[in-house]
Amino acid sequence: MPKYIDIHAHINFVAFDEDRDAVISRALEGDTWVINIGTQYDTSKKAVEMTNKYKEGVYSTIGLHPIHTSTSYHDESELGSEEKEFTSRGEIFDKNKYRELTKIGKVVGVGECGLDYYHLSPDSVEKQKKAFIDQIELANELEIPLMLHIRNSDENLNISAYQDVLEILKKYSKVKGVIHFFAGTLKDAKDFIDFGFYVSFAGVITYPPKKNDPRKINYEEIIKELPLDRIMADTDSPYVAPVPHRGKRNESVYVKDIVKKIAEIKRLDEEKVAIQILENAKKLFKI
Ligand SMILES: [Zn+2]
């Protein structure tokens, strides 16, 4: 058994093309298991294929990130090298194609899916919602949990992507899941926990609070209040490396720095926190 699990990484992305195996080896040797997350069809396929290279400790989810339902978004560390000149393709979620992926490797969840109001283009909300509902239905059918991506707008403070996601889940979801990179309010976190979901924190909790954060997120307060049996940790590699690696390309073995910070905030023994967080993930993802 490992000591840690990074429930949300993208070692499947092009940012790791040069040294993918070394990054996974560092994680496994550091007692850290990894769930690689799909964000569109090809990154999902890559994540699933990677699970076959290792006897244990490497898992995947399959899904379509809300930003990839429109053609406006582009990230060089994600897309394949031959596609560098292109923005996101505006993929439509094809349930049958994604379902086929579960036959070629260890798939433990559907997502990342949800709503992203940060990268919002005028016609994208309806596309995001449609893709999200389709993915909830696939998760229901496969009886595997949802890996949620939820991001608020920094401009319109009156709308909440978190509450909109919750409303959709209450209507459609028969499975549970986890919000990765939680950045909502304490009330949002409690509402999701009451609905049986988990909340996962990323490297940003190790940074000093942002001075100009329009939503004034107070991670210390949120983490202090939430029950430990509902918390997880994720790196979102290659993005947002925790202190002391801030600014570098992130990787799964750094998840221990996030676990350490959670233990510090909750004033609990680090070992105990690591064990409980691992338990939580094993229970949700049935691994
Ligand atoms: Zn992600």
Side-chain angles (χ1 to χ4, degrees):
M1 272 298 119
K3 188 170 170 194
Y4 304 101
I5 181 164
D6 176 6
I7 64 138
H8 188 114
H10 301 288
I11 317 300
N12 46 333
F13 279 9
V14 72
F16 297 98
D17 271 1
E18 301 295 308
D19 59 349
R20 184 167 291 116
D21 289 338
V23 171
I24 293 288
S25 297
R26 274 200 291 278
L28 297 176
E29 280 156 24
D31 284 328
T32 305
W33 282 5
V34 183
I35 304 177
N36 283 310
I37 307 300
T39 52
Q40 42 191 320
Y41 181 75
D42 55 4
T43 58
S44 295
K45 185 162 181 266
K46 179 83 186 168
V48 180
E49 284 166 355
M50 283 175 70
T51 67
N52 293 322
K53 276 195 95 172
Y54 305 90
K55 216 168 73 220
E56 60 172 13
V58 180
Y59 304 88
S60 71
T61 69
I62 48 169
L64 180 61
H65 193 295
I67 59 172
H68 289 309
T69 57
S70 292
T71 49
S72 55
Y73 185 72
H74 171 72
D75 176 7
E76 281 203 358
S77 58
E78 172 174 351
L79 298 172
S81 51
E82 70 277 11
E83 308 194 19
K84 280 223 167 102
E85 294 97 68
F86 297 98
T87 53
S88 180
R89 283 153 285 179
E91 187 182 318
I92 291 167
F93 185 75
D94 180 340
K95 213 186 279 178
N96 296 328
K97 248 172 92 181
Y98 278 84
R99 189 190 294 109
E100 286 300 304
L101 291 177
T102 62
K103 295 175 184 157
I104 60 167
K106 286 175 233 148
V107 177
V108 298
V110 172
E112 53 187 305
C113 56
L115 298 176
D116 191 313
Y117 291 170
Y118 191 82
H119 300 282
L120 207 55
S121 60
D123 64 333
S124 72
V125 179
E126 284 319 304
K127 284 184 193 159
Q128 289 191 21
K129 284 186 177 164
K130 164 104 178 55
F132 182 32
I133 292 166
D134 287 348
Q135 289 177 85
I136 294 171
E137 283 168 354
L138 181 61
N140 287 343
E141 181 197 317
L142 297 170
E143 297 179 328
I144 53 177
L146 290 161
M147 172 59 71
L148 297 175
H149 167 98
I150 310 175
R151 194 164 178 194
N152 275 324
S153 159
D154 266 0
E155 276 128 43
N156 189 343
L157 302 184
N158 297 318
I159 52 169
S160 167
Y162 285 83
Q163 292 300 322
D164 289 357
V165 165
L166 191 59
E167 202 178 296
I168 292 172
L169 289 172
K170 284 184 173 166
K171 212 163 149 193
Y172 296 97
S173 186
K174 298 192 183 94
V175 297
K176 300 305 177 192
V178 57
I179 308 170
H180 103 92
F181 204 135
F182 183 80
T185 63
L186 177 58
K187 182 186 179 298
D188 292 332
K190 285 183 168 169
D191 288 349
F192 274 85
I193 287 173
D194 286 345
F195 189 56
F197 276 58
Y198 293 79
V199 172
S200 177
F201 295 95
V204 70
I205 67 163
T206 67
Y207 302 172
K210 265 199 283 177
K211 282 197 198 82
N212 50 1
D213 174 13
R215 292 192 182 256
K216 301 192 173 34
I217 301 171
N218 185 336
Y219 286 109
E220 288 221 13
E221 181 199 42
I222 294 169
I223 290 168
K224 244 182 232 164
E225 285 287 322
L226 300 186
L228 187 59
D229 64 359
R230 288 301 171 140
I231 291 177
M232 294 185 201
D234 71 279
T235 63
D236 204 17
S237 300
Y239 313 108
V240 285
V243 171
H245 310 285
R246 189 174 182 177
K248 288 201 290 188
R249 185 188 66 172
N250 200 0
E251 61 177 78
S252 289
V253 74
Y254 300 158
V255 78
K256 65 174 184 298
D257 297 300
I258 302 167
V259 172
K260 188 173 151 212
K261 184 68 183 184
I262 293 170
E264 255 172 54
I265 292 171
K266 289 185 110 29
R267 296 177 199 276
L268 291 170
D269 177 58
E270 205 184 313
E271 198 82 6
K272 256 195 213 151
V273 171
I275 290 169
Q276 184 63 52
I277 287 180
L278 178 68
E279 265 324 298
N280 300 343
K282 280 172 56 190
K283 191 172 162 198
L284 179 69
F285 295 106
K286 302 187 193 97
I287 50 183

